[in-house]
Amino acid sequence: MSFDDLGLSAELLRAVAEQGYSEPTPIQQRAVPLILAGRDVLAAAQTGTGKTAGFTLPILQSLQDELQQAGVQDGAGDAHRGRRRRRVPQPRVLVLCPTRELALQVEASVETYGRHLPFRSTVIFGGVGINPQIDRLRRGVDIVVATPGRLLDHLGRGTVDLSRIETLVLDEADRMLDMGFIHDIRKVLALVPETDERQTLLFSATFSREIRELANRLLDRPESIEVARCDATAGSIAQVVHPVDKARKRELLSHMIGSRNWRQVLVFTRTKHGANRLAKQLDRDGLSATAIHGNKSQGARTRALAAFKSGEVRVLVATDIAARGLDIDQLPHVVNFELPNVAEDYVHRIGRTGRAGNEGEAM
Ligand code: AMP
């Protein structure tokens, strides 16, 4: 199947071609037509499957169809129309994400795939000043990507109005529940149109009883899609174990990175403190390293990720929550310096490598 068969506009196909994608991933093949047909979707898909484009592309397509139906010939999406400026902004698409990093990445995808379309999007998350977000919202917005807590802040202040939401996406719903967002999610749900008046898409890597309950309440006769088995790891990842005394783990890690000349390694520790300590020790061993975890400011996290992506920093030491949703293209090595407590986290950790057809190695 090719992207041309999915029913996407020339503008979207152009954006996809510019990304260099040759064919849609399995989740894109299944999700795009269903979402375009207006169906609610319950999708079992991990990061790395191309799920973000799987929902972003058809959502943009639907907005474009509406725009054409409304007979607006050129220039503007809903956000651009003058009447929006005076009122509280009323976006039509809301994507809820568990972490700032994932929210940033989803919004970047919206920008990327929507670059030839007139729609406006913005990202909302906590830990940074609220005023720039308010200004951005006031200028008009069609698509909001948000973490639940800060979105509620905005709702409390009346700086955004969700009563016109047409499509609601819950991305990495399992992680949102793990992070205790259920109450925040319920409050947000009370402010969007009813189930039968909106389209709802729920993505989750795993399907616990809680997720199924949430899905039952939120989705209207959903189509289920499953592209990779829930707790199975991707086949393109080689998984290697090195037995070593605890006290010598760091030494072995430094040795492997140095002797094998690994240029980009993501290392997981269990605690924030452990991440800081290991990053310092690796740095002392002459391997440029930085830590990323929940105690760091948003600015520090964004800078650390940028330095890692650009190759300026060789080793990124992360905790599970901070690493959630990190999208680093073609990351070759993931190291579990300490094992996670639950199998799911292991699957997510090593899912950073071997993405979208690339080979990877997990230690
Ligand atoms: P996601 O699962 O949405 O986090 O996407 C994982 C990675 O796959 C991202 O780096 C995307 O840019 C990439 N990707 C998405 N769709 C495709 C495609 N059709 N072909 C190749 N790579 C893709």
Side-chain angles (χ1 to χ4, degrees):
M1 192 189 258
S2 91
F3 274 104
D4 295 336
D5 304 323
L6 289 179
L8 299 172
S9 67
E11 289 80 2
L12 288 169
L13 290 175
R14 200 167 128 211
V16 164
E18 283 161 1
Q19 288 306 103
Y21 303 159
S22 51
E23 58 178 38
T25 64
I27 184 125
Q28 291 161 6
Q29 294 181 20
R30 302 232 22 227
V32 173
L34 288 171
I35 298 172
L36 284 178
R39 297 295 306 262
D40 279 6
V41 170
L42 178 62
Q46 297 164 204
T47 356
T49 53
K51 67 183 166 69
T52 316
F55 65 79
T56 307
L57 289 169
I59 285 174
L60 287 164
Q61 181 66 57
S62 300
L63 289 177
Q64 191 180 4
D65 290 344
E66 275 177 38
L67 187 64
Q68 270 153 9
Q69 273 159 23
V72 180
Q73 293 304 313
D74 52 13
D78 228 20
H80 294 236
R81 287 181 214 153
R83 67 191 169 84
R84 298 270 160 207
R85 297 231 170 95
R86 291 183 299 277
R87 287 213 244 125
V88 178
Q90 296 179 316
R92 288 175 293 158
V93 178
L94 173 64
V95 184
L96 287 178
C97 297
T99 63
R100 313 153 192 206
E101 281 79 11
L102 184 66
L104 279 167
Q105 271 157 23
V106 169
E107 207 265 337
S109 293
V110 173
E111 297 267 329
T112 300
Y113 303 126
R115 71 210 300 174
H116 305 301
L117 294 172
F119 307 110
R120 291 189 181 184
S121 58
T122 195
V123 61
I124 283 178
F125 50 75
V128 295
I130 198 165
N131 289 328
Q133 296 176 353
I134 294 174
D135 289 343
R136 185 71 192 80
L137 283 166
R138 271 206 201 111
R139 275 180 266 136
V141 66
D142 301 289
I143 303 172
V144 168
V145 183
T147 56
R150 175 56 69 87
L151 179 63
L152 282 177
D153 268 2
H154 281 278
L155 290 164
R157 288 165 186 245
T159 48
V160 66
D161 170 2
L162 300 182
S163 65
R164 291 278 177 88
I165 291 295
E166 293 161 14
T167 306
L168 171 69
V169 183
L170 283 93
D171 197 9
E172 304 203 347
D174 48 350
R175 185 51 54 127
M176 286 202 277
L177 297 195
D178 289 349
M179 290 172 71
F181 283 138
I182 187 66
H183 299 294
D184 288 353
I185 292 174
R186 286 217 183 96
K187 286 184 201 156
V188 171
L189 289 172
L191 298 168
V192 299
E194 297 287 324
T195 309
D196 53 351
E197 288 163 18
R198 60 159 205 258
Q199 182 176 32
T200 311
L201 315 172
L202 189 148
F203 289 78
S204 188
T206 56
F207 281 84
S208 59
R209 192 173 48 80
E210 286 83 1
I211 290 287
R212 293 202 178 275
E213 279 170 13
L214 185 69
N216 282 340
R217 254 185 298 137
L218 287 187
L219 303 170
D220 179 22
R221 287 160 293 146
E223 280 282 345
S224 294
I225 306 180
E226 191 174 341
V227 289
R229 272 190 35 75
C230 291
D231 294 313
T233 54
S236 56
I237 306 170
Q239 300 175 59
V240 184
V241 181
H242 293 282
V244 60
D245 288 342
K246 191 174 173 195
R248 304 199 64 188
K249 275 206 266 188
R250 195 216 80 242
E251 245 179 283
L252 177 63
L253 179 62
S254 290
H255 172 74
M256 298 198 73
I257 297 172
S259 64
R260 299 182 180 189
N261 198 22
W262 291 351
R263 309 310 305 181
Q264 205 178 35
V265 195
L266 180 60
V267 180
F268 285 93
T269 59
R270 221 192 304 246
T271 64
K272 298 168 188 174
H273 180 66
N276 279 338
R277 194 176 47 205
L278 182 61
K280 270 198 203 112
Q281 289 169 335
L282 291 172
D283 233 18
R284 246 181 265 138
D285 288 343
L287 302 165
S288 56
T290 190
I292 188 166
H293 54 66
N295 281 4
K296 298 226 163 176
S297 71
Q298 184 54 32
R301 289 155 78 173
T302 308
R303 277 196 301 280
L305 185 58
F308 183 60
K309 281 189 170 186
S310 72
E312 191 187 317
V313 161
R314 215 163 146 181
V315 190
L316 187 65
V317 188
T319 56
D320 287 294
I321 290 190
R324 182 73 182 184
L326 286 187
D327 178 21
I328 301 154
D329 282 340
Q330 310 189 3
L331 181 64
H333 306 285
V334 168
V335 177
N336 292 279
F337 193 76
E338 283 148 342
L339 280 175
N341 291 322
V342 292
E344 260 171 52
D345 281 338
Y346 178 79
V347 173
H348 283 297
R349 284 181 178 190
I350 76 168
R352 310 291 123 202
T353 179
R355 305 184 100 186
N358 296 305
E359 306 243 312
E361 187 183 32
M363 264 205 340

